[in-house]
PDB file of all heavy atoms in Angstrom:
ATOM      1  N   LEU N  16     152.783   6.888 -12.688  1.00  0.00           N
ATOM      2  CA  LEU N  16     151.789   6.409 -13.650  1.00  0.00           C
ATOM      3  C   LEU N  16     152.222   5.092 -14.290  1.00  0.00           C
ATOM      4  O   LEU N  16     151.412   4.170 -14.442  1.00  0.00           O
ATOM      5  CB  LEU N  16     151.515   7.462 -14.727  1.00  0.00           C
ATOM      6  CG  LEU N  16     150.408   7.118 -15.718  1.00  0.00           C
ATOM      7  CD1 LEU N  16     149.077   6.862 -14.999  1.00  0.00           C
ATOM      8  CD2 LEU N  16     150.249   8.221 -16.743  1.00  0.00           C
ATOM      9  N   ALA N  17     153.494   4.961 -14.638  1.00  0.00           N
ATOM     10  CA  ALA N  17     153.998   3.703 -15.209  1.00  0.00           C
ATOM     11  C   ALA N  17     153.816   2.559 -14.221  1.00  0.00           C
ATOM     12  O   ALA N  17     153.385   1.462 -14.596  1.00  0.00           O
ATOM     13  CB  ALA N  17     155.466   3.845 -15.601  1.00  0.00           C
ATOM     14  N   THR N  18     154.111   2.808 -12.958  1.00  0.00           N
ATOM     15  CA  THR N  18     153.950   1.777 -11.933  1.00  0.00           C
ATOM     16  C   THR N  18     152.484   1.416 -11.761  1.00  0.00           C
ATOM     17  O   THR N  18     152.124   0.236 -11.670  1.00  0.00           O
ATOM     18  CB  THR N  18     154.551   2.255 -10.592  1.00  0.00           C
ATOM     19  OG1 THR N  18     155.917   2.628 -10.815  1.00  0.00           O
ATOM     20  CG2 THR N  18     154.493   1.173  -9.537  1.00  0.00           C
ATOM     21  N   PHE N  19     151.615   2.419 -11.761  1.00  0.00           N
ATOM     22  CA  PHE N  19     150.179   2.176 -11.621  1.00  0.00           C
ATOM     23  C   PHE N  19     149.632   1.388 -12.815  1.00  0.00           C
ATOM     24  O   PHE N  19     148.873   0.430 -12.636  1.00  0.00           O
ATOM     25  CB  PHE N  19     149.424   3.507 -11.478  1.00  0.00           C
ATOM     26  CG  PHE N  19     147.941   3.327 -11.341  1.00  0.00           C
ATOM     27  CD1 PHE N  19     147.393   2.911 -10.140  1.00  0.00           C
ATOM     28  CD2 PHE N  19     147.094   3.552 -12.418  1.00  0.00           C
ATOM     29  CE1 PHE N  19     146.024   2.726 -10.012  1.00  0.00           C
ATOM     30  CE2 PHE N  19     145.739   3.367 -12.309  1.00  0.00           C
ATOM     31  CZ  PHE N  19     145.200   2.953 -11.099  1.00  0.00           C
ATOM     32  N   VAL N  20     150.021   1.751 -14.024  1.00  0.00           N
ATOM     33  CA  VAL N  20     149.560   1.035 -15.224  1.00  0.00           C
ATOM     34  C   VAL N  20     150.062  -0.405 -15.199  1.00  0.00           C
ATOM     35  O   VAL N  20     149.319  -1.337 -15.539  1.00  0.00           O
ATOM     36  CB  VAL N  20     149.992   1.770 -16.514  1.00  0.00           C
ATOM     37  CG1 VAL N  20     149.751   0.922 -17.751  1.00  0.00           C
ATOM     38  CG2 VAL N  20     149.259   3.105 -16.625  1.00  0.00           C
ATOM     39  N   TYR N  21     151.313  -0.603 -14.777  1.00  0.00           N
ATOM     40  CA  TYR N  21     151.856  -1.956 -14.636  1.00  0.00           C
ATOM     41  C   TYR N  21     150.968  -2.787 -13.706  1.00  0.00           C
ATOM     42  O   TYR N  21     150.587  -3.915 -14.029  1.00  0.00           O
ATOM     43  CB  TYR N  21     153.294  -1.875 -14.112  1.00  0.00           C
ATOM     44  CG  TYR N  21     153.832  -3.172 -13.564  1.00  0.00           C
ATOM     45  CD1 TYR N  21     154.251  -4.185 -14.414  1.00  0.00           C
ATOM     46  CD2 TYR N  21     153.918  -3.400 -12.190  1.00  0.00           C
ATOM     47  CE1 TYR N  21     154.740  -5.386 -13.911  1.00  0.00           C
ATOM     48  CE2 TYR N  21     154.407  -4.579 -11.680  1.00  0.00           C
ATOM     49  CZ  TYR N  21     154.813  -5.569 -12.544  1.00  0.00           C
ATOM     50  OH  TYR N  21     155.284  -6.755 -12.046  1.00  0.00           O
ATOM     51  N   LEU N  22     150.641  -2.217 -12.544  1.00  0.00           N
ATOM     52  CA  LEU N  22     149.796  -2.931 -11.579  1.00  0.00           C
ATOM     53  C   LEU N  22     148.392  -3.157 -12.119  1.00  0.00           C
ATOM     54  O   LEU N  22     147.811  -4.225 -11.929  1.00  0.00           O
ATOM     55  CB  LEU N  22     149.730  -2.168 -10.260  1.00  0.00           C
ATOM     56  CG  LEU N  22     151.031  -2.107  -9.476  1.00  0.00           C
ATOM     57  CD1 LEU N  22     150.892  -1.187  -8.271  1.00  0.00           C
ATOM     58  CD2 LEU N  22     151.462  -3.492  -9.044  1.00  0.00           C
ATOM     59  N   LEU N  23     147.844  -2.161 -12.789  1.00  0.00           N
ATOM     60  CA  LEU N  23     146.497  -2.289 -13.355  1.00  0.00           C
ATOM     61  C   LEU N  23     146.449  -3.397 -14.409  1.00  0.00           C
ATOM     62  O   LEU N  23     145.553  -4.250 -14.384  1.00  0.00           O
ATOM     63  CB  LEU N  23     146.055  -0.953 -13.954  1.00  0.00           C
ATOM     64  CG  LEU N  23     144.651  -0.905 -14.523  1.00  0.00           C
ATOM     65  CD1 LEU N  23     143.619  -1.119 -13.420  1.00  0.00           C
ATOM     66  CD2 LEU N  23     144.415   0.434 -15.217  1.00  0.00           C
ATOM     67  N   LEU N  24     147.405  -3.409 -15.309  1.00  0.00           N
ATOM     68  CA  LEU N  24     147.446  -4.452 -16.348  1.00  0.00           C
ATOM     69  C   LEU N  24     147.628  -5.836 -15.730  1.00  0.00           C
ATOM     70  O   LEU N  24     146.980  -6.802 -16.138  1.00  0.00           O
ATOM     71  CB  LEU N  24     148.563  -4.166 -17.349  1.00  0.00           C
ATOM     72  CG  LEU N  24     148.340  -2.991 -18.291  1.00  0.00           C
ATOM     73  CD1 LEU N  24     149.602  -2.692 -19.088  1.00  0.00           C
ATOM     74  CD2 LEU N  24     147.166  -3.258 -19.217  1.00  0.00           C
ATOM     75  N   GLY N  25     148.509  -5.935 -14.748  1.00  0.00           N
ATOM     76  CA  GLY N  25     148.709  -7.211 -14.063  1.00  0.00           C
ATOM     77  C   GLY N  25     147.465  -7.660 -13.323  1.00  0.00           C
ATOM     78  O   GLY N  25     147.126  -8.850 -13.303  1.00  0.00           O
ATOM     79  N   THR N  26     146.753  -6.716 -12.722  1.00  0.00           N
ATOM     80  CA  THR N  26     145.543  -7.043 -11.967  1.00  0.00           C
ATOM     81  C   THR N  26     144.436  -7.584 -12.870  1.00  0.00           C
ATOM     82  O   THR N  26     143.699  -8.487 -12.477  1.00  0.00           O
ATOM     83  CB  THR N  26     145.043  -5.799 -11.197  1.00  0.00           C
ATOM     84  OG1 THR N  26     146.070  -5.382 -10.304  1.00  0.00           O
ATOM     85  CG2 THR N  26     143.788  -6.093 -10.404  1.00  0.00           C
ATOM     86  N   VAL N  27     144.329  -7.051 -14.086  1.00  0.00           N
ATOM     87  CA  VAL N  27     143.276  -7.531 -14.989  1.00  0.00           C
ATOM     88  C   VAL N  27     143.662  -8.822 -15.705  1.00  0.00           C
ATOM     89  O   VAL N  27     142.884  -9.347 -16.492  1.00  0.00           O
ATOM     90  CB  VAL N  27     142.831  -6.459 -16.013  1.00  0.00           C
ATOM     91  CG1 VAL N  27     142.245  -5.255 -15.313  1.00  0.00           C
ATOM     92  CG2 VAL N  27     143.947  -6.071 -16.956  1.00  0.00           C
ATOM     93  N   GLY N  28     144.860  -9.337 -15.425  1.00  0.00           N
ATOM     94  CA  GLY N  28     145.201 -10.656 -15.931  1.00  0.00           C
ATOM     95  C   GLY N  28     146.375 -10.738 -16.876  1.00  0.00           C
ATOM     96  O   GLY N  28     146.784 -11.834 -17.262  1.00  0.00           O
ATOM     97  N   VAL N  29     146.929  -9.615 -17.310  1.00  0.00           N
ATOM     98  CA  VAL N  29     148.103  -9.664 -18.176  1.00  0.00           C
ATOM     99  C   VAL N  29     149.255 -10.231 -17.334  1.00  0.00           C
ATOM    100  O   VAL N  29     149.504  -9.760 -16.227  1.00  0.00           O
ATOM    101  CB  VAL N  29     148.448  -8.257 -18.725  1.00  0.00           C
ATOM    102  CG1 VAL N  29     149.688  -8.313 -19.609  1.00  0.00           C
ATOM    103  CG2 VAL N  29     147.263  -7.667 -19.484  1.00  0.00           C
ATOM    104  N   PRO N  30     149.954 -11.240 -17.816  1.00  0.00           N
ATOM    105  CA  PRO N  30     150.977 -11.912 -16.990  1.00  0.00           C
ATOM    106  C   PRO N  30     152.261 -11.088 -16.839  1.00  0.00           C
ATOM    107  O   PRO N  30     153.313 -11.435 -17.355  1.00  0.00           O
ATOM    108  CB  PRO N  30     151.227 -13.216 -17.738  1.00  0.00           C
ATOM    109  CG  PRO N  30     150.905 -12.902 -19.160  1.00  0.00           C
ATOM    110  CD  PRO N  30     149.790 -11.886 -19.114  1.00  0.00           C
ATOM    111  N   LEU N  31     152.159 -10.007 -16.091  1.00  0.00           N
ATOM    112  CA  LEU N  31     153.289  -9.099 -15.902  1.00  0.00           C
ATOM    113  C   LEU N  31     154.013  -9.300 -14.582  1.00  0.00           C
ATOM    114  O   LEU N  31     155.105  -8.775 -14.394  1.00  0.00           O
ATOM    115  CB  LEU N  31     152.807  -7.637 -15.964  1.00  0.00           C
ATOM    116  CG  LEU N  31     152.183  -7.174 -17.268  1.00  0.00           C
ATOM    117  CD1 LEU N  31     151.762  -5.715 -17.146  1.00  0.00           C
ATOM    118  CD2 LEU N  31     153.137  -7.351 -18.424  1.00  0.00           C
ATOM    119  N   PHE N  32     153.402 -10.017 -13.653  1.00  0.00           N
ATOM    120  CA  PHE N  32     153.988 -10.162 -12.329  1.00  0.00           C
ATOM    121  C   PHE N  32     155.018 -11.287 -12.322  1.00  0.00           C
ATOM    122  O   PHE N  32     155.229 -11.964 -13.322  1.00  0.00           O
ATOM    123  CB  PHE N  32     152.904 -10.408 -11.280  1.00  0.00           C
ATOM    124  CG  PHE N  32     151.891  -9.294 -11.157  1.00  0.00           C
ATOM    125  CD1 PHE N  32     150.577  -9.570 -10.835  1.00  0.00           C
ATOM    126  CD2 PHE N  32     152.245  -7.966 -11.366  1.00  0.00           C
ATOM    127  CE1 PHE N  32     149.640  -8.559 -10.714  1.00  0.00           C
ATOM    128  CE2 PHE N  32     151.316  -6.941 -11.245  1.00  0.00           C
ATOM    129  CZ  PHE N  32     150.009  -7.236 -10.925  1.00  0.00           C
ATOM    130  N   ALA N  33     155.658 -11.497 -11.187  1.00  0.00           N
ATOM    131  CA  ALA N  33     156.701 -12.522 -11.054  1.00  0.00           C
ATOM    132  C   ALA N  33     156.200 -13.870 -11.561  1.00  0.00           C
ATOM    133  O   ALA N  33     155.043 -14.231 -11.365  1.00  0.00           O
ATOM    134  CB  ALA N  33     157.130 -12.637  -9.596  1.00  0.00           C
ATOM    135  N   GLN N  34     157.093 -14.590 -12.199  1.00  0.00           N
ATOM    136  CA  GLN N  34     156.814 -15.924 -12.738  1.00  0.00           C
ATOM    137  C   GLN N  34     155.672 -15.904 -13.753  1.00  0.00           C
ATOM    138  O   GLN N  34     154.887 -16.836 -13.850  1.00  0.00           O
ATOM    139  CB  GLN N  34     156.554 -16.912 -11.603  1.00  0.00           C
ATOM    140  CG  GLN N  34     157.730 -17.006 -10.666  1.00  0.00           C
ATOM    141  CD  GLN N  34     157.379 -17.603  -9.330  1.00  0.00           C
ATOM    142  OE1 GLN N  34     156.222 -17.662  -8.918  1.00  0.00           O
ATOM    143  NE2 GLN N  34     158.406 -18.042  -8.617  1.00  0.00           N
ATOM    144  N   PHE N  35     155.561 -14.809 -14.511  1.00  0.00           N
ATOM    145  CA  PHE N  35     154.568 -14.650 -15.578  1.00  0.00           C
ATOM    146  C   PHE N  35     153.140 -14.843 -15.082  1.00  0.00           C
ATOM    147  O   PHE N  35     152.327 -15.485 -15.727  1.00  0.00           O
ATOM    148  CB  PHE N  35     154.861 -15.602 -16.744  1.00  0.00           C
ATOM    149  CG  PHE N  35     156.173 -15.333 -17.413  1.00  0.00           C
ATOM    150  CD1 PHE N  35     157.316 -16.022 -17.038  1.00  0.00           C
ATOM    151  CD2 PHE N  35     156.277 -14.373 -18.400  1.00  0.00           C
ATOM    152  CE1 PHE N  35     158.539 -15.775 -17.641  1.00  0.00           C
ATOM    153  CE2 PHE N  35     157.490 -14.122 -19.013  1.00  0.00           C
ATOM    154  CZ  PHE N  35     158.633 -14.812 -18.640  1.00  0.00           C
ATOM    155  N   THR N  36     152.830 -14.292 -13.917  1.00  0.00           N
ATOM    156  CA  THR N  36     151.482 -14.394 -13.370  1.00  0.00           C
ATOM    157  C   THR N  36     150.778 -13.054 -13.506  1.00  0.00           C
ATOM    158  O   THR N  36     151.389 -12.026 -13.777  1.00  0.00           O
ATOM    159  CB  THR N  36     151.515 -14.799 -11.882  1.00  0.00           C
ATOM    160  OG1 THR N  36     152.249 -13.819 -11.149  1.00  0.00           O
ATOM    161  CG2 THR N  36     152.135 -16.170 -11.694  1.00  0.00           C
ATOM    162  N   GLY N  37     149.486 -13.086 -13.294  1.00  0.00           N
ATOM    163  CA  GLY N  37     148.675 -11.884 -13.310  1.00  0.00           C
ATOM    164  C   GLY N  37     147.313 -12.219 -12.747  1.00  0.00           C
ATOM    165  O   GLY N  37     146.989 -13.381 -12.504  1.00  0.00           O
ATOM    166  N   GLY N  38     146.503 -11.211 -12.521  1.00  0.00           N
ATOM    167  CA  GLY N  38     145.147 -11.411 -12.040  1.00  0.00           C
ATOM    168  C   GLY N  38     144.937 -10.833 -10.655  1.00  0.00           C
ATOM    169  O   GLY N  38     145.883 -10.577  -9.911  1.00  0.00           O
ATOM    170  N   ILE N  39     143.684 -10.640 -10.331  1.00  0.00           N
ATOM    171  CA  ILE N  39     143.304 -10.055  -9.047  1.00  0.00           C
ATOM    172  C   ILE N  39     143.752 -10.921  -7.876  1.00  0.00           C
ATOM    173  O   ILE N  39     144.041 -10.411  -6.798  1.00  0.00           O
ATOM    174  CB  ILE N  39     141.779  -9.774  -9.003  1.00  0.00           C
ATOM    175  CG1 ILE N  39     141.399  -8.916  -7.792  1.00  0.00           C
ATOM    176  CG2 ILE N  39     140.975 -11.056  -8.982  1.00  0.00           C
ATOM    177  CD1 ILE N  39     141.753  -7.483  -7.934  1.00  0.00           C
ATOM    178  N   GLY N  40     143.839 -12.222  -8.089  1.00  0.00           N
ATOM    179  CA  GLY N  40     144.276 -13.131  -7.024  1.00  0.00           C
ATOM    180  C   GLY N  40     145.685 -12.858  -6.560  1.00  0.00           C
ATOM    181  O   GLY N  40     146.010 -13.078  -5.391  1.00  0.00           O
ATOM    182  N   ILE N  41     146.533 -12.368  -7.439  1.00  0.00           N
ATOM    183  CA  ILE N  41     147.905 -12.034  -7.050  1.00  0.00           C
ATOM    184  C   ILE N  41     147.890 -10.783  -6.157  1.00  0.00           C
ATOM    185  O   ILE N  41     148.557 -10.740  -5.121  1.00  0.00           O
ATOM    186  CB  ILE N  41     148.801 -11.794  -8.286  1.00  0.00           C
ATOM    187  CG1 ILE N  41     148.808 -13.023  -9.193  1.00  0.00           C
ATOM    188  CG2 ILE N  41     150.208 -11.387  -7.868  1.00  0.00           C
ATOM    189  CD1 ILE N  41     149.391 -14.266  -8.581  1.00  0.00           C
ATOM    190  N   ILE N  42     147.099  -9.799  -6.536  1.00  0.00           N
ATOM    191  CA  ILE N  42     147.021  -8.559  -5.753  1.00  0.00           C
ATOM    192  C   ILE N  42     146.388  -8.813  -4.388  1.00  0.00           C
ATOM    193  O   ILE N  42     146.822  -8.268  -3.382  1.00  0.00           O
ATOM    194  CB  ILE N  42     146.221  -7.483  -6.527  1.00  0.00           C
ATOM    195  CG1 ILE N  42     146.988  -7.034  -7.767  1.00  0.00           C
ATOM    196  CG2 ILE N  42     145.891  -6.287  -5.641  1.00  0.00           C
ATOM    197  CD1 ILE N  42     148.235  -6.221  -7.502  1.00  0.00           C
ATOM    198  N   THR N  43     145.360  -9.637  -4.337  1.00  0.00           N
ATOM    199  CA  THR N  43     144.682  -9.895  -3.060  1.00  0.00           C
ATOM    200  C   THR N  43     145.359 -11.010  -2.262  1.00  0.00           C
ATOM    201  O   THR N  43     144.977 -11.253  -1.120  1.00  0.00           O
ATOM    202  CB  THR N  43     143.201 -10.254  -3.281  1.00  0.00           C
ATOM    203  OG1 THR N  43     143.115 -11.417  -4.108  1.00  0.00           O
ATOM    204  CG2 THR N  43     142.452  -9.094  -3.914  1.00  0.00           C
ATOM    205  N   GLY N  44     146.345 -11.665  -2.850  1.00  0.00           N
ATOM    206  CA  GLY N  44     147.066 -12.737  -2.165  1.00  0.00           C
ATOM    207  C   GLY N  44     148.097 -12.190  -1.194  1.00  0.00           C
ATOM    208  O   GLY N  44     148.248 -10.977  -1.016  1.00  0.00           O
ATOM    209  N   PRO N  45     148.849 -13.086  -0.573  1.00  0.00           N
ATOM    210  CA  PRO N  45     149.777 -12.670   0.481  1.00  0.00           C
ATOM    211  C   PRO N  45     150.880 -11.715   0.024  1.00  0.00           C
ATOM    212  O   PRO N  45     151.365 -10.917   0.811  1.00  0.00           O
ATOM    213  CB  PRO N  45     150.369 -13.980   0.993  1.00  0.00           C
ATOM    214  CG  PRO N  45     149.933 -15.042   0.079  1.00  0.00           C
ATOM    215  CD  PRO N  45     148.818 -14.522  -0.764  1.00  0.00           C
TER     216      PRO N  45
END
């Protein structure tokens, strides 16, 4: 659940991913 919430928050745009990025474009990107 923690991993899923992390991904969900990052997908909606919270800058949680590498290099402070977020958004659906990161998930749908390479």
Side-chain angles (χ1 to χ4, degrees):
L16 185 58
T18 305
F19 180 77
V20 169
Y21 164 77
L22 292 173
L23 183 64
L24 289 172
T26 300
V27 298
V29 179
L31 298 180
F32 299 147
Q34 301 162 341
F35 297 94
T36 59
I39 191 76
I41 302 297
I42 292 290
T43 59

